Amino acid sequence: MDAQSYNTALTELRTMRDEIKKARTQLAKLETDRNKKIVQLASYEKAKAERIAPAAGLGVADVVAIAPALAPDSLAESDIPQPLSPEPPTARAADEPAPHSPQQGATAPAMTTTAGPSAAPPLPARTTAPDPPAVGETPRKLPTIPASNSGDAWFTHTSGLASTRPNFTQQARSTVFLDTDTGVLVHRNQTHRLDLAGRSAADILTAVFHTVPDGVERIYITAGDPWHRDADRHPYLRDAVAAWLNAPALDWRTDTGRGRDRMAGHFVHARNPVGRYQRDNSDSHVEIRSVGEWFDLDGDDPATVRDAFVLLWQALRRHWSDAVLMGSPSQTGRDLWTRTIPARGQHADGFPVLSEELRSLLHATAGQGRNELLTPPRVPEQLPQLLEYDRTFAYAKHTWKPPVGTPRRITAATFAAWSQKEQMRVLYGCGHWQVRVTVPATWEHVGLLPAPAPGDRAWHYPAEPGTTFTTWAGGPEIHTALSNPIQPWKIEILDGILWDDGKPLDDWAKKLKETWTNLTAQAHFQGDPHQARAAHLASRAVRSILLYGIGSFAQRPRMVTGTTPRNLERDVPPDAEIIGFDDELITWQKPTGFTRDPNAHPEWAAAIWSGARAALLTQRHRDDDTYAGALHTPPGSVIAFRTDALYLTQPQNWPYHHQPGDYLLKGHLTGPLAAPTTEEELLTARNAGRAALTTARET
């Protein structure tokens, strides 16, 4: 680019800036006018929110928030449905089962699925003073366990529902790997080049089945993201993905599912969607999936990806003679775990599933990874440097003691009656606790416990001295707050759930860790760069199997996404949220609650997530007799937490032995540099730091 084109581009950029500003102003005006119209409609005595919502392109909850008079008299404020948002990809299963879509022309709505070194002080008795509200915002209120017998009845298992060892063998699926940018298709040991025309699902299916006529059941897209081809025509990526998945495909229709491990319908995800198709008048079933569910690629060709899957399968077969790679890492992880359930002994009858009430409580009160960006004035406006320390294969470190057995309720009175030794013992055990927390008056470091923040499933970590809040947290985090190396926090136990310690995941996690270690060693010592890269990708896939396998235990309430013709908007479900629309279709989503999933164990996911969040704060390395984590850095030096990683302004001499949970220096960006104030700025700095560290090591 020369000086003239540079100046021309700057002029164009300023024009775009002004157009964006005008568009935002116009949008704000339209939204204001829309809200006024909703209020006007609400004055009609027979007005109903479920009729107004689809016409406004909003959910019922949003309409009621604008015009409270539309709320049903019998509906308490806390019962009004809240707007829904998608789960983060590091913890939600990437392919939940879904109802099928009716065929083209049907009038019914079409659906597609979318611990520390210091001793702890005595715990204070419970108080009854209300928590002060947060300044300037209203955090969501977390659920509680009902008092007396009604709450005690939750502490049981769901009748007739338990995780048991399967008595069948999974069938392998014929799989191909396709780069939709280049048209390169790899099928077993053969490579083909396809003409994909417009890269629609129909184009891909036609080209693949013409090239591999004996049948394919799974198509992994390695590059090209064809579901984003019309992204500029839609306001959101999800809309573009939904349109791509639902476009008519000659001779194909949306798969309605078959067999015990078949899933029906498409799964709408902004970046890793799943298209499930069935050929008309045939028994051919095929999935189109993104390989991004398994690992991130960096220009890798389909042959390398194929070799990575082969290496992964071979490595898993050393531990599971019947191992089969299923469509996603979450499916694979869940299936492999069921094959470690004991055939005899204590748990030969399986692991019972908690009551739906306790599962719902855990869903609402057990957060996932900690993601927090600390901005000025909590950190300096100019940073001397930015270092990224990432915990290697972190969740594998915390699978050794998940809860088992029938849970017990521990009330505030019961807890207060115990000795301090007994209290600390149970807090170090397998429990989930409702607590009132007070930050010490002289606290100067990061927050220790998650608190509910405004927004669906949003969490923040209060650190302001003297702040008091009520929340739920797992035993590892409570124990850390009480025994952290700086200063104990004040914790008041209000209620709790306590399980026995168990080892339901030990065999599964041990085998996955050994598989990961083996593949990581192959990637390091392999002389062939192609095979070394394939082994590295395979090791990343093992990480995904464990990570998303744990997430699948959480069993989130299932979300269904559907479309309804504009001329049939009355058929939009009254409890649905409108997430998009065009001239022909209204796209909506709604929760469908919990299913009778025999492998639903949110108590295991919650315990692992809590342990991982606690380890970001403090983690002991016994062999080195030292500690690592955010609380072992100076105040003001922590810039961000991102699930398994810490971003710091000072280098740390933490031990690294290539073991799960060890902190690995992954990026180092020298300064001075401005402190990031948005996630985008943090990710930009992270990527620059990783590139700079790689360059420094190579030179």
Side-chain angles (χ1 to χ4, degrees), residues 502-587:
K503 297 183 177 181
L505 303 179
D506 269 24
D507 190 25
W508 176 71
K510 179 182 177 181
K511 290 177 176 179
L512 288 178
K513 283 186 281 189
E514 289 178 358
T515 302
W516 172 81
T517 299
N518 176 271
L519 289 168
T520 301
Q522 286 189 52
H524 183 70
F525 294 108
Q526 174 62 251
D528 182 344
H530 175 91
Q531 288 299 307
R533 178 61 181 172
H536 171 74
L537 294 177
S539 72
R540 300 298 293 173
V542 177
R543 174 188 178 276
S544 296
I545 288 173
L546 185 133
L547 176 68
Y548 292 115
I550 290 169
S552 71
F553 289 131
Q555 197 227 8
R556 303 299 182 194
R558 193 157 291 137
M559 187 72 67
V560 172
T561 301
T563 57
T564 300
R566 288 292 296 264
N567 60 351
L568 295 174
E569 67 178 43
R570 291 189 179 188
D571 292 337
V572 175
D575 56 344
E577 176 194 6
I578 307 300
I579 60 174
F581 53 86
D582 55 26
D583 293 339
E584 297 179 359
L585 294 174
I586 299 171
T587 304

Side-chain angles (χ1 to χ4, degrees), residues 58-236:
L58 296 173
V60 172
D62 300 312
V63 170
V64 171
I66 295 168
L70 293 172
D73 294 336
S74 61
L75 192 63
E77 181 180 355
S78 60
D79 296 328
I80 296 174
Q82 298 299 307
L84 300 165
S85 62
E87 294 291 321
T90 56
R92 180 180 177 180
D95 50 0
E96 299 173 344
H100 68 276
S101 302
Q103 297 183 19
Q104 293 289 331
T107 57
M111 294 185 181
T112 56
T113 56
T114 62
S118 61
L123 294 174
R126 175 179 176 176
T127 65
T128 57
D131 301 328
V135 177
E137 58 183 21
T138 303
R140 72 188 192 283
K141 186 176 181 180
L142 297 179
T144 61
I145 304 173
S148 65
N149 294 336
S150 58
D152 294 342
W154 292 12
F155 288 74
T156 184
H157 293 110
T158 300
S159 177
L161 196 62
S163 304
T164 57
R165 191 183 183 95
N167 57 4
F168 65 94
T169 301
Q170 291 286 3
Q171 298 299 310
R173 308 298 182 197
S174 176
T175 302
V176 298
F177 302 89
L178 175 63
D179 182 332
T180 60
D181 278 339
T182 64
V184 172
L185 175 80
V186 172
H187 175 231
R188 298 177 181 169
N189 294 324
Q190 298 179 339
T191 300
H192 309 271
R193 188 172 294 274
L194 310 184
D195 180 1
L196 299 178
R199 299 192 303 154
S200 67
D203 295 332
I204 291 172
L205 292 170
T206 299
V208 169
F209 276 80
H210 176 75
T211 306
V212 190
D214 55 340
V216 169
E217 297 178 275
R218 186 173 297 138
I219 302 170
Y220 277 121
I221 306 300
T222 64
D225 296 343
W227 36 80
H228 293 162
R229 64 176 189 155
D230 292 329
D232 57 342
R233 296 171 52 188
H234 298 271
Y236 302 103

Side-chain angles (χ1 to χ4, degrees), residues 134 137 370 372-375 377-379 437-453 459-469 471 481 484 486-490 617 630-631 635-636 638 641:
E137 58 183 21
R370 178 170 181 170
E372 180 184 24
L373 175 63
L374 285 71
T375 58
R378 294 186 64 184
V379 300
V437 184
T438 301
V439 182
T442 57
W443 188 257
E444 296 180 342
H445 221 297
V446 298
L448 304 187
L449 292 172
W459 301 88
H460 65 151
Y461 294 79
E464 186 70 22
T467 300
T468 297
F469 58 95
T471 191
N484 72 81
I486 299 175
Q487 183 180 12
W489 282 30
K490 179 182 178 182
L617 298 170
L631 295 182
V638 178
F641 299 85

Side-chain angles (χ1 to χ4, degrees), residues 115-117 389-398 400 428 476 480 483-485 608 610-633 643-644 646 653-664:
Y389 287 90
D390 185 72
R391 298 186 66 228
T392 299
F393 203 15
Y395 283 8
K397 177 80 172 180
H398 306 287
W400 63 280
Y428 196 65
T480 296
S483 59
N484 72 81
I608 293 169
S610 178
R613 291 193 301 268
L616 282 176
L617 298 170
T618 179
Q619 171 179 283
R620 184 182 180 189
H621 292 259
R622 296 180 184 275
D623 293 342
D624 300 276
D625 192 26
T626 189
Y627 289 85
L631 295 182
H632 303 279
T633 66
T643 308
D644 302 334
L646 284 175
N653 190 28
W654 294 334
Y656 184 75
H657 303 299
H658 301 274
Q659 295 299 311
D662 286 357
Y663 280 93
L664 170 67

